[in-house]
């Protein structure tokens, strides 16, 4: 008998039929003899609808009240899920974030978990009940107010519960059946990974892979939680995300050397800003990126051209989320005289391709394969950045899908058959 | 400066526009220098929609989970209301039933208030904030679970808060502008009452008047809370519900002797069951009504015919809510042999007319006026029951509106002009 934490996202509980299907799945796990704790998101588009209502009554909703509002979404889904399980003859109890002991700081809308005290959950498990917990929400002890965890909050709830309850596994359910070597909608020959290294998963998630939220993977790695990413719509195994020293329960095949490249991530959500004619003097880059940071923009890649000796000036390009571009441009334009640059160019037609693999640490020539594959296909590389286990390049957005396919093939990642692309709304 | 508790029902906060209108009204009260505590219901049809979802996932939803589900409705409306007030530049804080200290017993779906400990509300008021409380919901200390108060729960929340905070007045807002001498949709010449005695209000509410819930009026009378029933859509005075020793703030006209009859209530929600050929022996009625009570049906009026000496048998008729009729009939039919009656007749085409007035205690001839008025109009009386300050009769349902009009006229209650019938969904 194991203790299993399961997380179901909004699309898995979008309507009454979906809720009953999820309830059946939970009951099956209980029938197999396991203790089950479930973290659940709000139904389908509930959160967006509530946000829309909020914007109708208040241009800038008060953060405390917005959290109170949004946290009602999970109360609805968790109560419905608990009563559905109940009607199948199993004891189920739902708990809000505060009832579940999900203690956070007081940052409304993006609260950090500071402690998990699942006293009531343990009592319910001891009583033989299935436990349903509202994802995405917590409670601050000082203000006694309800908080929400922000994007990917329900994944984080599930992992935090798994850590606090010392669960055997944290199953993250969605409408895809695991982690793929690439997005199957972009690369039809993408293969599902049986296992992926937690560090690789972090790089993939940070660079465009959408199945797991980086914050949850990070929390899992830090607390030694074993994640199993699975599909709500099938009973097959998904992908195990393995931290240091972890193996998947079946254990098969774990002795093999890991592949050099785990997967290829694509990201169309970034824009590029180029600052032209920056005086090539020490401290200029620091000055520029302090201004950008102060504007609230999140810079990703940075490239500085070789300075033209004749002018003493250089160009600096950086990428950032498209949604952050306006504020960064405003901040830079406002300080043009002080920085002394000549011009600003904004480009939101870029695509970012990342190749991730822990094997890069010990294998050379990995980047050469990437550059060669793109070159043969006539795809121009505009920027390059690397980490210990990742190489990213910026190409034209229109070229991104083609780039992903040729690179996927070049690293020998292609499967024998095309991947099935699942219907659904993503997460 | 006064402390004012206001209650807004679901139709008053049905959409974003309505919420903004209510927010403005609350802010106006605050601007006038008063402390304001608001109890708010779920938006429009939210509760019905949630009930519908529940019935889709579970034939008989688990009561604990149903309360968890339904209580989310008020969280949505109260958070939206608080952020709307906030965006008008006023500090507002919303509180769930448990945060507001609304302590109840553990009866899910129909919890009784056992204590109100509004510590956080007092803190918020001391900080100068407007306080918004979720109506209809509470919290049980032993189970630490969320409860709901059942029908009319938000009215009761408002009155209980007013009592616990020692408020100067509890304003109950709806889409009608007060208590009328009769339902204006039935009796166009109905007049709005400036004041009504709490005891009369209880009888009117118990006999079909829909503006206030009997439970809230009872709570108010027991705890000395002054109720002011008003319209969300106008700023005029509504009707003051006065308990013993209470006067309305303006004080005008309170010295006059109270009218003999306060109003006429009509009720089409009842059915009549007649048990034919009951053995006329002692203890039979007790036996019958024990069976009916055990079925869960709520008996209202009872009439036993004079026994026919020749047969030693009699007929017994009683009224009950139409929704309770099936279970009462089943219970009686199941015990037919034991009781020894001959036949059961079910009639759901009846109407109940009640005349209510505290003056009946000291005035004779009140019932004669009623019987005379109905007789002149050729309306047949099928059953009669009386209390100290009320006379009720059962007539054909089709005759009820006509009966109400002639009785209203006979008691001199008619206004000079027809009442304006407000659009809206009732409560």
């Amino acid at each position: 008998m194991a203790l299993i934490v399961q997380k179901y996202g909004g699309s898995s509980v979008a309507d009454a039929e979906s809720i009953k299907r999820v309830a059946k799945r939970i009951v099956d796990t209980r029938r197999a003899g396991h203790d089950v704790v479930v973290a659940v998101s709000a139904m389908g588009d509930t959160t967006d609808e509530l946000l829309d209502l909020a914007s109708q009554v208040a241009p800038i909703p008060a953060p405390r009240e917005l959290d109170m509002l949004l946290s009602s979404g999970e109360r609805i889904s968790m109560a419905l899920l608990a009563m559905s399980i109940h009607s199948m003859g199993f004891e189920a109890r739902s708990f809000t974030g505060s009832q579940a002991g999900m203690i956070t700081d007081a940052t409304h809308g993006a609260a950090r978990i500071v402690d998990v005290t699942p006293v009531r959950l343990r009592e319910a498990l001891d009583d033989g009940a299935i436990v349903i917990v509202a994802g995405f929400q917590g409670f601050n002890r000082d203000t006694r107010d309800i908080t929400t965890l922000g994007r990917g909050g329900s994944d984080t709830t599930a992992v935090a519960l798994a850590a606090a309850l010392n669960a055997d596994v944290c199953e993250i359910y969605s409408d895809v059946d695991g982690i793929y070597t690439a997005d199957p909608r972009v690369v039809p020959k993408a293969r599902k990974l049986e296992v992926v290294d937690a560090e690789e998963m972090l790089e993939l998630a940070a660079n465009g892979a959408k199945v797991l939220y980086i914050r949850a993977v990070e929390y899992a790695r830090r607390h030694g939680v074993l994640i199993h990413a699975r599909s709500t719509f099938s009973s097959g195994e998904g992908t195990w995300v393995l931290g240091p020293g972890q193996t998947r329960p079946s254990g098969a095949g774990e002795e093999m050397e890991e592949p050099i490249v785990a997967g290829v991530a694509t990201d169309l959500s970034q824009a590029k800003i180029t600052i032209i004619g920056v005086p090539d003097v020490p401290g200029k880059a620091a000055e520029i990126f302090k201004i950008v940071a102060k504007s609230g923009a999140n810079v990703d890649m940075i490239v500085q051209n070789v300075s033209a000796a004749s002018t003493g000036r250089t160009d600096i390009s950086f990428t950032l989320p498209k949604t952050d571009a306006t504020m960064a441009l405003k901040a830079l334009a406002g300080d043009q005289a002080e920085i002394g640059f000549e011009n600003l160019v904004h480009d939101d037609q870029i695509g970012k391709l990342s190749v991730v693999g822990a094997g890069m640490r010990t294998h050379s020539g990995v980047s050469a394969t990437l550059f060669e594959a793109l070159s043969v296909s006539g795809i121009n590389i505009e920027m390059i950045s690397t980490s210990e286990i990742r190489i990213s390049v910026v190409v034209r957005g229109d070229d991104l899908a083609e780039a992903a396919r040729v690179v996927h093939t070049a690293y020998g990642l292609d499967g024998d058959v095309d991947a099935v692309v699942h219907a659904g709304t993503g997460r």
Side-chain angles (χ1 to χ4, degrees), chain A:
Chain A
M1 180 170 125
L3 171 56
I4 296 177
V5 173
Q6 300 185 332
K7 180 262 174 174
Y8 294 94
S11 63
S12 298
V13 292
D15 53 30
E17 279 317 303
S18 309
I19 288 171
K20 286 198 269 188
R21 185 169 52 230
V22 165
K24 169 129 193 353
R25 176 137 211 157
I26 294 167
V27 162
D28 286 346
T29 311
R30 182 88 187 94
R31 275 214 182 94
H34 304 302
D35 279 340
V36 192
V37 173
V38 175
V40 66
S41 301
M43 294 170 72
D45 302 325
T46 306
T47 303
D48 287 340
E49 286 164 18
L50 291 174
L51 280 171
D52 181 47
L53 267 174
S55 71
Q56 285 178 50
V57 300
I60 304 165
R64 177 190 186 274
E65 301 304 328
L66 194 58
D67 275 0
M68 178 69 89
L69 178 73
L70 295 182
S71 67
S72 66
E74 283 79 21
R75 286 168 81 109
I76 293 173
S77 55
M78 76 177 187
L80 290 170
L81 188 54
M83 60 179 72
S84 181
I85 292 169
H86 215 273
S87 78
M88 294 172 183
F90 285 76
E91 171 76 7
R93 286 181 217 160
S94 68
F95 296 95
T96 63
S98 76
Q99 289 177 336
M102 193 65 60
I103 314 294
T104 72
D105 65 16
T107 316
H108 286 293
R112 311 285 305 177
I113 297 171
V114 296
D115 197 6
V116 183
T117 56
V119 182
R120 294 192 67 179
L121 310 192
R122 283 226 177 76
E123 287 172 8
L125 288 171
D126 288 346
D127 291 350
I130 293 167
V131 168
I132 315 289
V133 177
F136 179 68
Q137 59 185 252
F139 174 76
N140 180 263
R141 271 192 186 127
D142 300 326
T143 63
R144 290 167 295 171
D145 284 335
I146 286 144
T147 54
T148 64
L149 307 181
R151 264 180 73 78
S154 294
D155 283 16
T156 310
T157 299
V159 172
L161 289 174
L165 294 165
N166 201 17
D168 296 276
V169 59
C170 179
E171 300 181 337
I172 308 274
Y173 286 87
S174 71
D175 50 12
V176 294
D177 60 357
I179 315 296
Y180 276 70
T181 50
D183 183 339
R185 287 165 299 191
V186 177
V187 181
K189 289 209 181 300
R191 277 184 303 111
K192 194 185 76 183
L193 293 163
E194 295 186 359
V195 299
V196 65
D197 186 275
E199 275 187 284
E200 291 171 336
M201 191 63 240
L202 281 175
E203 287 282 5
L204 288 169
N207 289 282
K210 295 266 193 311
V211 180
L212 292 176
Y213 280 96
I214 185 165
R215 185 172 162 194
V217 178
E218 219 162 37
Y219 198 108
R221 193 179 52 158
R222 198 172 327 118
H223 294 85
V225 172
L226 181 63
I227 288 182
H228 185 193
R230 309 181 65 179
S231 164
T232 316
F233 302 100
S234 84
S235 58
E237 279 208 13
T239 303
W240 297 86
V241 182
L242 302 179
Q246 286 180 331
T247 54
R248 55 182 168 150
S250 68
E254 243 75 277
E255 300 307 311
M256 298 189 318
E257 189 113 34
E258 59 189 344
I260 296 167
V261 167
V264 173
T266 49
D267 187 357
L268 279 168
S269 70
Q270 294 204 344
K272 180 172 76 169
I273 291 175
T274 304
I275 313 171
I276 294 172
V278 180
D280 194 9
V281 294
K284 232 1 146 183
E287 185 186 339
I288 286 172
F289 289 104
K290 222 180 279 173
I291 290 165
V292 174
K294 239 180 104 183
S295 80
N298 233 324
V299 170
D300 180 19
M301 296 166 72
I302 301 176
V303 170
Q304 179 169 342
N305 284 357
V306 177
S307 176
S310 57
T311 61
R313 289 178 179 271
T314 185
D315 302 338
I316 296 179
S317 292
F318 62 94
T319 66
L320 75 181
K322 278 179 183 168
T323 45
D324 290 358
T326 308
M327 52 193 186
L329 287 167
K330 259 190 198 157
L332 288 169
D335 285 345
Q336 178 163 9
E338 210 181 310
I339 307 169
F341 65 85
E342 290 165 358
N343 205 3
L344 282 176
V345 178
H346 173 231
D347 177 358
D348 62 1
Q349 299 297 311
I350 63 165
K352 182 174 145 194
L353 173 77
S354 301
V355 175
V356 172
M360 288 187 198
R361 284 202 189 92
T362 49
H363 283 74
S364 56
V366 176
S367 59
T369 306
L370 170 64
F371 302 147
E372 169 79 10
L374 294 180
S375 160
V376 165
S377 300
I379 295 169
N380 191 41
I381 298 173
E382 303 186 10
M383 295 171 84
I384 301 171
S385 93
T386 59
S387 83
E388 217 186 351
I389 63 167
R390 173 183 55 84
I391 315 163
S392 297
V393 296
V394 166
V395 299
R396 284 293 89 201
D398 289 343
D399 291 340
L400 185 63
E402 170 70 5
R405 285 188 289 268
V406 299
V407 168
H408 196 265
T409 303
Y411 284 110
L413 296 172
D414 287 358
D416 297 333
V417 292
D418 284 2
V420 178
V421 176
H422 296 265
T425 55
R427 302 181 44 83

